[in-house]
Structures are given as structure tokens and as C-alpha cells.
């Protein structure tokens, strides 16, 4: 396949910048091993993107978090006519927004945990709060579990909301699901094998993702085949509801009654040595290099 000159966009200006640099470096090296003319490009401005459009034929987006994953970069590339990997502007913007993702899933009749929405115009109401504890508090527009806290009482909840508001003006307080945590990769309409996540932390937080040595990634995940298939079909539907394309990852909780719950969608998953989509792809016989080329091929 003739790809021409490929820019691998990485870095950006979000809180996940360092993870993006690792993802982008790994992707660029994989493409280069396949004799593709690829260059890792640290980008963070409109001028950077305009220069990319003049010099390269297509783009592999390895940017995580705001600006690179939330539709802004996608909108510019669409306007400049540069083919790029992954979802377009609208789906990227929704996927980065946990609140609106949940509204869309709920509107489509898909299961997602109950939640309360906090914003500048909809402040936290201590007296009206009714979700049973524990709950988890999340900034609506951050990735990599940044700004998230699990809390078990009302006084800690107010502190956790204030902490999350340091990262985002919109905050979710979400029902805690007791059970097992899974993640599902999607690649070109295929739901990859589920990965069960086991960590000594309260949940799969930033440290469990990127720093801990005791986090376990179990694939095959150990679920009965029929249950795993049911979750995979639900995940594909959830991906389509958001309008996402080509590849991504959806996090799922399975409660003690074997009811799956959709948590969030990542439209540009990590591609580091700790990353989950490459791990799931490996279980299907795809090497990291093959995975990267398959994703890039979607731009042709």
C-alpha cells in the first residue's frame, strides 16, 4: 500500500502529553519498521497543523486528551483536506465528553451507571443528592483517570467535586458499580477480545495504568463465551451510537449480577507498552506493527 509521507501527531498540550509522546514514538517506530515514510511530530498549535498539511500526505493521530482527541485537531485536518486516522470531529468531541456520551447511550437505551451532572449553571446540591454511596467523581473532559476520586460519604464528596473542578467546569458524580472491570477494543467493526483489569487500587486510575507493577491484564478474560459475545455486541452498538470510526476502546463494568455497564469511550487509545488495544489485538494474532498499519490503512 502506498501511504506517501505520514505524520504521526503526538504531544499536544493536554494533561496526557507525556503519554501521547510515548504513544506517538511507538507508532512512528512501528511504521518505520514496515518501511513506511513516517515522522513523529510534536504538535500543539494551529501553525503546526498547517505545516503538517503542506508537508505530509496523511496523519496518524496519537494525541490524547483535550485539543488532540476532542475534535479540534480533527476539525482542522478535515478543513485542510488531510486524511487522518480514527473518528471525525463530531464523534471525537462527544467521546471526549463523558457527560454527553452517557446522555447519548442512555437515549439509545444502553446501560450506563446513574449520574449527577455538576456545572457552573448547575451547582452541587448537597440536600438533593440521592445516589447511594460509594460514588466516583470525574471531570467530564479529561482522560487517563485524571481528576477522578472514589468517595464514600457526603463530606468527602464535596471535596472530590472541588478537586475535579480544578480540571473541568463540568463534573460527573457517577454511581459506583461493584464488580469486575473490563475494556473492549474496537478495530474496523470488530470487537477485540475483552481484557479483564485487576488492580490493588480502588479502580483503574492513573497510577494503576502507568506506574503500578501489580496491575494485571487478563486476556482471555475468563468470561463464558456467550457473555463475552453479548458485551462485545453491546460495545459495537455503543461505538456506533457515538458515530465513532475505525478504532477505539470502551470501558465496561460487570456487576455482581453479570449486568454490563458502559463507562466511557476512548477515541484515541494509548499505544504504549502498558496499552490495552495492542494487548487485545495481540490475542487475535496481530502484532503491534500490523495493528498500526491496519489503523493507518483506514486513511486510504
Amino acid at each position: 500500500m502506498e501511504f506517501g509521507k505520514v505524520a504521526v501527531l503526538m504531544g499536544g498540550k493536554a494533561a496526557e502529553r507525556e503519554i501521547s509522546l510515548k504513544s506517538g514514538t511507538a507508532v512512528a517506530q512501528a511504521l518505520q519498521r514496515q518501511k513506511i515514510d513516517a515522522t513523529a511530530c510534536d504538535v500543539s498549535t494551529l501553525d503546526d497543523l498547517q505545516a503538517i498539511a503542506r508537508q505530509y500526505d496523511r496523519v496518524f493521530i496519537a494525541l490524547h486528551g483535550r485539543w488532540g482527541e476532542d475534535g479540534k485537531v480533527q476539525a482542522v485536518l478535515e478543513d485542510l483536506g488531510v486524511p487522518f486516522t480514527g473518528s471525525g470531529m463530531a464523534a471525537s468531541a462527544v467521546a471526549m465528553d463523558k457527560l454527553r456520551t452517557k446522555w447519548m447511550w442512555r437515549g439509545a437505551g444502553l446501560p450506563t451507571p446513574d449520574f449527577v451532572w455538576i456545572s457552573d449553571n448547575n451547582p452541587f446540591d448537597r440536600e438533593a443528592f440521592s445516589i447511594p454511596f460509594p460514588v466516583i467523581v470525574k471531570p467530564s473532559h479529561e482522560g487517563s483517570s485524571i481528576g477522578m476520586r472514589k468517595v464514600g460519604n457526603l463530606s468527602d464528596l464535596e471535596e472530590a467535586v472541588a478537586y475535579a473542578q480544578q480540571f473541568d467546569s463540568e463534573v460527573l458524580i457517577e454511581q459506583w458499580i461493584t464488580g469486575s472491570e473490563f475494556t473492549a477494543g474496537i478495530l474496523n467493526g470488530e470487537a477485540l477480545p475483552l481484557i479483564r483489569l485487576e488492580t490493588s487500587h480502588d479502580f483503574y486510575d492513573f497510577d494503576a495504568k502507568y506506574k503500578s507493577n501489580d496491575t494485571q491484564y487478563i486476556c482471555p478474560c475468563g468470561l463464558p463465551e456467550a457473555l463475552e459475545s453479548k458485551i462485545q455486541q453491546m460495545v459495537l452498538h455503543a461505538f456506533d451510537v457515538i458515530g465513532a470510526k475505525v478504532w477505539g476502546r470502551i470501558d465496561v463494568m460487570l456487576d455482581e449480577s453479570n449486568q454490563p455497564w458502559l463507562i466511557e469511550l476512548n477515541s484515541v487509545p494509548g499505544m504504549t507498552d502498558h496499552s490495552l488495544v495492542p494487548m487485545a489485538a495481540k490475542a487475535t494474532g496481530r502484532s503491534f506493527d500490523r495493528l498500526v498499519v491496519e489503523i493507518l490503512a483506514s486513511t486510504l
Side-chain angles (χ1 to χ4, degrees), residues 19-73:
I19 307 304
S20 173
L21 290 171
K22 292 181 180 179
S23 290
T25 299
V27 167
Q29 290 174 347
L31 294 174
Q32 291 162 5
R33 285 193 295 270
Q34 298 304 304
K35 311 303 181 185
I36 294 169
D37 184 4
T39 304
C41 303
D42 187 347
V43 296
S44 59
T45 68
L46 177 60
D47 287 345
D48 292 339
L49 295 179
Q50 290 173 326
I52 294 291
R54 291 192 296 269
Q55 299 173 43
Y56 294 89
D57 299 297
R58 64 198 68 251
V59 160
F60 192 114
I61 298 178
L63 294 161
H64 305 317
R66 300 192 200 195
W67 189 72
E69 193 175 351
D70 63 2
K72 295 185 177 71
V73 163

Side-chain angles (χ1 to χ4, degrees), residues 25-289:
T25 299
V27 167
Q29 290 174 347
L31 294 174
Q32 291 162 5
R33 285 193 295 270
Q34 298 304 304
K35 311 303 181 185
I36 294 169
D37 184 4
T39 304
C41 303
D42 187 347
V43 296
S44 59
T45 68
L46 177 60
D47 287 345
D48 292 339
L49 295 179
Q50 290 173 326
I52 294 291
R54 291 192 296 269
Q55 299 173 43
Y56 294 89
D57 299 297
R58 64 198 68 251
V59 160
F60 192 114
I61 298 178
L63 294 161
H64 305 317
R66 300 192 200 195
W67 189 72
E69 193 175 351
D70 63 2
K72 295 185 177 71
V73 163
Q74 290 78 3
V76 172
L77 294 174
E78 285 176 2
D79 193 51
L80 293 173
V82 181
F84 58 89
T85 55
S87 297
M89 174 198 66
S92 298
V94 173
M96 191 67 197
D97 188 325
K98 296 179 180 66
L99 171 65
R100 284 155 186 85
T101 293
K102 287 172 72 71
W103 276 338
M104 288 185 69
W105 282 341
R106 181 175 279 186
L110 291 164
T112 189
D114 196 14
F115 62 96
V116 170
W117 162 42
I118 307 298
S119 71
D120 292 340
N121 296 322
N122 188 42
F124 177 57
D125 186 341
R126 181 187 178 109
E127 302 304 321
F129 185 75
S130 61
I131 297 178
F133 288 100
V135 296
I136 187 161
V137 180
K138 306 175 177 181
S140 186
H141 301 88
E142 288 290 351
S144 292
S145 302
I146 291 167
M148 290 171 53
R149 285 186 180 174
K150 177 187 177 184
V151 294
N153 58 67
L154 204 53
S155 59
D156 288 347
L157 178 57
E158 290 182 303
E159 181 184 344
V161 168
Y163 174 67
Q165 286 174 325
Q166 296 176 28
F167 299 91
D168 196 344
S169 61
E170 286 191 330
V171 171
L172 285 178
I173 306 172
E174 187 177 69
Q175 174 191 356
W176 179 264
I177 302 296
T178 299
S180 301
E181 191 166 0
F182 296 85
T183 194
I186 296 101
L187 179 63
N188 290 322
E190 174 188 352
L192 300 176
L194 299 183
I195 299 174
R196 182 195 297 264
L197 309 172
E198 294 190 354
T199 174
S200 58
H201 299 234
D202 279 340
F203 61 96
Y204 189 52
D205 61 10
F206 185 89
D207 286 351
K209 289 174 180 174
Y210 302 116
K211 297 181 180 180
S212 176
N213 291 320
D214 66 359
T215 301
Q216 296 184 61
Y217 306 95
I218 301 169
C219 187
C221 67
L223 291 178
E225 183 177 344
L227 180 55
E228 180 170 9
S229 178
K230 173 186 173 182
I231 295 172
Q232 288 174 314
Q233 292 307 307
M234 183 182 74
V235 160
L236 289 174
H237 185 194
F239 195 71
D240 288 342
V241 163
I242 302 303
K245 302 293 183 184
V246 184
W247 76 304
R249 199 191 77 232
I250 292 180
D251 298 330
V252 178
M253 290 297 300
L254 188 67
D255 70 18
E256 294 166 321
S257 302
N258 279 345
Q259 167 65 50
W261 297 91
L262 297 164
I263 304 301
E264 62 183 74
L265 192 163
N266 189 324
S267 64
V268 186
M271 295 290 273
T272 72
D273 55 358
H274 276 64
S275 295
L276 299 169
V277 171
M279 197 179 304
K282 185 177 180 181
T284 69
R286 293 174 171 93
S287 66
F288 184 84
D289 290 11

